Amino acid sequence: MTFSIHGLAVARGIAIGRAVLMASSRVDVAHYFIEPVQIEDEIARVRAGRDAVVEEIHRLQLTIAGMGPKEAPHELSALLDVHLMLLEDEELIGGVKHWISDRLYNAEWALTTQLEVISRQFDDMEDDYLRGRKADLEQVAERILRYMKGVASPVAPPTASRRKTQQDLLLDDGMDVPLVMIAHDLSPADMLQFKQSVFAGFVTDVGGRNSHTAIVARSMDIPAVVGARSSSNLVRQDDWVIIDGDAGVMIVDPSPIILAEYGFKQRQGELERGRLSRLRHTPALTLDGKKIELLANIELPEDAPGALKAGAVGVGLFRSEFLFMGRRGNLPDEEEQYLAYRKAVEGMEGLPVTIRTVDVGADKPLDDSMRDEAHLNPALGLRAIRWSLADPAMFLTQLRAILRAAAHGQVNMLIPMLAHASEIRQTVSLIDFARAELDNRGVAYGPIKLGAMIEIPAAALTLKIFLKYFDFLSIGTNDLIQYTLAIDRADESVAHLYDPLHPAVLRLVAETIAECDAQGKGVSVCGEMAGDTTLTRLLLGLGLRSFSMHPAQILAVKQEVLRADTARLVPWARQLLDAEDPAAFLAG
Ligand code: PEP
Ligand code: MG
């Protein structure tokens, strides 16, 4: 039966495919297709994992057999029996074999998929005791996954260049349909892993439109919906689904008529993209001849070629924190960071690259252990520059790496989440210290321009101090909205109040642009507002000349720029600033 689930539109376009439900396993799992000749090896890996866990449980049973009832209560032995029974149930291994042989999933992916299928059966059981055994099943599957993690796969996950496109999926490997991912939640680090994977779209139960998970999805340029509440409970493994990333809707089990309609929309979208691609080499000039700078936001150095291909004239925001995530505390050293920044600089072929110093915390945990730390208000806590200043050795390592990369091209350094003059002074003196350290070591480094993010209202209200210390400013509207309106950007339950057009937000943006203009300092917007085509005219009218956004949005924004006349937009934007309901004014 066809039904639809509504959420928040995150990344545009239509995806049609079969659902892959992400099991909520705490073990990181890679998802990739194997070659048919590798089927037997992958099945053998799961069997070996299962056998190892069975053996481990047998050993444990022997140990507790020699203990008294106090040290090893009877329930423990009964629990181990249940685990053994689950492990020996053919449905587990039989199902895993199916996903590997028929779908060519890698072993870990096949195991988590089958885990999800069996978990659903447990959920449907009437008997409380049996329903409760789902947790045991998850535990044994997790143990197998952990064992498999220690045993390298003979099949390497595909590199980005080997990543299969949707088109490939339609043609080879016996795979005749694209796959879309449905998950309860995904962290930005999970999303990064999926950047190299096979999914044609995704939906999550939780998350706001400007959560970092959503931002990474947008950078992948695949249709996505977040905040779709109980989607991961309502959809079953392998269901046909349509993701409408423009409307923020997922349609489950669509009828042939609906499928045909969305197939048509999908082709229309592709045609539109084809049309836009012709603008790639067109200079971004308004009708009245104003030159507009369209820059790219990137997460990894490997994103640089995509930014160039989209016609970006530089990188306006390299979110360096993605180099630090998912590494279990093993943070990148100076050399690794230097090579990554240098790769981005060289990848941009002489165009400027703005590297933002690490911004972890809030909804960007370094890894799951940080996510589990019980901070009451992580968005107001030790995040971004606060985190960097709390660990000067770590910060200096990053500063040296950025300064060294600046020897290879035009580098701007951008500091996130500053609010206090004391933080600015500490940052500036640490940068000087990093230079002195490199001098002492005799290591080459280059000149940088230094910029600050304006993303806390306190910063927007004390611009004079910022303009004294910094060469340029970049307005982080994602956080500026969050902190001005006291709305958690990652919480879908208050997403309706997260409003870029709130008069208070617009005033802070307008005044920052005007003040920078008056002082002859560069200013850009690098939050999601910059890539939103419905806001391009407004930002131009407020005097903005530099926009930084995901590469996938650049050509659509350029189209808006080409149609704009700033002479007419300036008085219109002024009126909008005074309007009680700017959204209605904009639409009217
Ligand atoms: C912002 O806050 O607008 C921004 C660009 O930074 P991030 O989204 O990484 O917090
Ligand atoms: Mg921010």
Side-chain angles (χ1 to χ4, degrees):
M1 191 191 64
T2 303
F3 63 96
S4 55
I5 303 172
H6 291 250
L8 302 166
V10 161
R12 66 202 172 143
I14 308 286
I16 304 174
R18 285 200 186 270
V20 173
L21 285 168
M22 284 299 120
S24 45
S25 160
R26 287 186 291 274
V27 181
D28 289 341
V29 169
H31 301 81
Y32 52 91
F33 290 113
I34 58 168
E35 302 295 335
V37 293
Q38 295 160 328
I39 291 174
E40 290 311 318
D41 283 348
E42 286 299 271
I43 294 175
R45 283 178 65 226
V46 186
R47 277 197 192 285
R50 193 264 313 257
D51 293 348
V53 177
V54 167
E55 217 179 287
E56 194 182 304
I57 294 179
H58 279 312
R59 270 200 309 272
L60 211 60
Q61 279 181 321
L62 281 179
T63 314
I64 62 175
M67 293 177 175
K70 262 203 169 151
E71 303 144 286
H74 173 67
E75 291 81 1
L76 182 57
S77 156
L79 191 70
L80 292 178
D81 284 341
V82 171
H83 282 198
L84 275 179
M85 198 185 73
L86 290 166
L87 282 163
E88 275 154 11
D89 184 350
E90 255 316 293
E91 187 168 2
L92 183 65
I93 292 297
V96 171
K97 273 168 67 178
H98 155 71
W99 297 113
I100 295 176
S101 323
D102 300 351
R103 284 300 181 81
L104 300 174
Y105 289 3
N106 65 305
E108 288 85 351
W109 183 7
L111 180 59
T112 50
T113 304
Q114 187 58 14
L115 169 65
E116 192 64 43
V117 169
I118 305 178
S119 294
R120 292 293 165 103
Q121 293 167 6
F122 277 102
D123 286 341
D124 291 341
M125 287 176 182
E126 305 231 315
D127 184 301
D128 276 353
Y129 172 79
L130 289 177
R131 234 189 358 259
R133 302 288 57 82
K134 178 176 150 176
D136 296 308
L137 175 72
E138 286 170 352
Q139 275 179 23
V140 295
E142 228 164 75
R143 286 167 88 155
I144 300 176
L145 285 170
R146 283 189 203 285
Y147 173 86
M148 285 163 61
K149 237 181 166 185
V151 181
S153 167
V155 186
T159 58
S161 59
R162 273 183 57 210
R163 173 181 159 191
K164 289 181 200 292
T165 63
Q166 194 163 334
Q167 196 57 28
D168 294 332
L169 294 180
L170 288 166
L171 298 177
D172 67 6
D173 279 352
M175 295 292 313
D176 51 3
V177 285
L179 299 171
V180 298
M181 187 208 312
I182 318 289
H184 174 67
D185 190 13
L186 292 167
S187 70
D190 293 333
M191 286 303 302
L192 213 57
Q193 186 191 335
F194 293 129
K195 249 187 161 171
Q196 313 230 328
S197 76
V198 295
F199 298 105
F202 86 90
V203 176
T204 60
D205 295 346
V206 300
R209 191 175 279 121
N210 281 346
S211 63
H212 285 94
T213 302
I215 287 174
V216 181
R218 226 167 276 140
S219 79
M220 288 161 69
D221 199 20
I222 58 172
V225 173
V226 298
R229 295 295 166 105
S230 38
S231 58
S232 70
N233 278 327
L234 296 173
V235 178
R236 282 163 312 169
Q237 201 74 255
D238 238 19
D239 273 349
W240 273 100
V241 299
I242 297 172
I243 298 176
D244 182 342
D246 299 302
V249 176
M250 168 166 61
I251 301 166
V252 185
D253 199 11
S255 66
I257 292 179
I258 296 177
L259 265 179
E261 186 188 325
Y262 276 90
F264 176 74
K265 273 195 189 175
Q266 199 175 31
R267 284 189 294 280
Q268 292 293 103
E270 278 155 18
L271 283 177
E272 173 60 18
R273 280 172 195 231
R275 266 196 296 275
L276 278 177
S277 69
R278 291 192 217 124
L279 297 180
R280 192 188 146 201
H281 298 293
T282 309
L285 288 177
T286 61
L287 289 173
D288 54 329
K290 296 277 185 303
K291 193 170 166 206
I292 308 300
E293 188 179 46
L294 300 180
L295 302 162
N297 289 356
I298 64 171
E299 275 95 38
L300 291 172
E302 291 75 24
D303 297 335
L308 280 182
K309 201 163 156 224
V313 296
V315 168
L317 174 64
F318 174 0
R319 288 184 162 98
S320 70
E321 53 273 16
F322 284 89
L323 298 173
F324 290 66
M325 287 180 187
R327 305 179 53 120
R328 301 198 167 74
N330 180 23
L331 300 185
D333 62 14
E334 180 183 319
E335 195 62 18
E336 183 181 340
Q337 287 189 58
Y338 158 66
L339 291 174
Y341 303 142
R342 177 177 167 176
K343 188 171 175 187
V345 170
E346 290 177 344
M348 288 307 290
E349 300 175 0
L351 295 172
V353 176
T354 302
I355 303 170
R356 183 174 69 181
T357 59
V358 63
D359 177 3
V360 290
D363 70 331
K364 278 188 287 194
L366 277 180
D367 51 41
D368 285 344
S369 68
M370 190 172 178
R371 192 163 21 176
D372 293 343
E373 282 170 20
H375 293 301
L376 287 180
N377 286 305
L380 304 181
L382 197 66
R383 184 189 158 185
I385 188 64
R386 302 169 185 179
W387 193 74
S388 295
L389 292 176
D391 187 348
M394 187 278 303
F395 192 32
L396 281 165
T397 302
Q398 178 169 40
L399 295 175
R400 289 192 303 270
I402 296 174
L403 289 167
R404 287 175 61 192
H408 302 276
Q410 224 178 309
V411 169
N412 305 319
M413 188 191 288
L414 183 59
I415 314 294
M417 266 197 84
L418 288 162
H420 301 268
S422 59
E423 290 171 325
I424 298 176
R425 286 192 293 269
Q426 275 182 69
T427 302
V428 170
S429 58
L430 281 169
I431 295 170
D432 288 341
F433 192 79
R435 282 196 191 96
E437 285 182 314
L438 291 173
D439 284 334
N440 285 342
R441 276 166 42 193
V443 175
Y445 61 90
I448 52 151
K449 279 196 182 139
L450 186 61
M453 298 273 299
I454 300 296
E455 50 185 349
I456 299 181
L461 294 168
T462 53
L463 285 173
K464 237 167 89 182
I465 304 169
F466 282 79
L467 291 171
K468 175 174 162 199
Y469 286 94
F470 292 98
D471 303 311
F472 69 97
L473 301 182
S474 187
I475 309 176
T477 47
N478 305 337
D479 279 314
L480 191 61
I481 300 166
Q482 156 164 275
Y483 295 125
T484 305
L485 303 179
I487 296 298
D488 184 343
R489 62 194 266 193
D491 183 350
E492 73 279 4
S493 66
V494 284
H496 60 293
L497 297 172
Y498 184 93
D499 180 11
L501 290 173
H502 190 290
V505 173
L506 292 181
R507 223 167 89 189
L508 293 174
V509 172
E511 284 171 10
T512 304
I513 296 170
E515 192 64 26
C516 285
D517 256 2
Q519 305 287 325
K521 297 261 174 151
V523 60
S524 68
V525 169
C526 63
E528 298 298 293
M529 280 178 83
D532 182 342
T533 50
T534 64
L535 302 176
T536 309
R537 289 181 326 132
L538 170 61
L539 292 171
L540 288 169
L542 296 179
L544 190 71
R545 298 292 177 262
S546 175
F547 296 64
S548 193
M549 68 203 83
H550 300 297
Q553 296 159 327
I554 287 179
L555 294 177
V557 170
K558 190 187 276 187
Q559 181 167 263
E560 289 297 312
V561 166
L562 297 173
R563 293 171 179 166
D565 177 351
T566 62
R568 291 170 66 171
L569 289 176
V570 170
W572 169 78
R574 223 173 272 142
Q575 272 179 299
L576 187 143
L577 279 183
D578 287 334
E580 184 177 321
D581 185 352
F585 188 92
L586 186 72

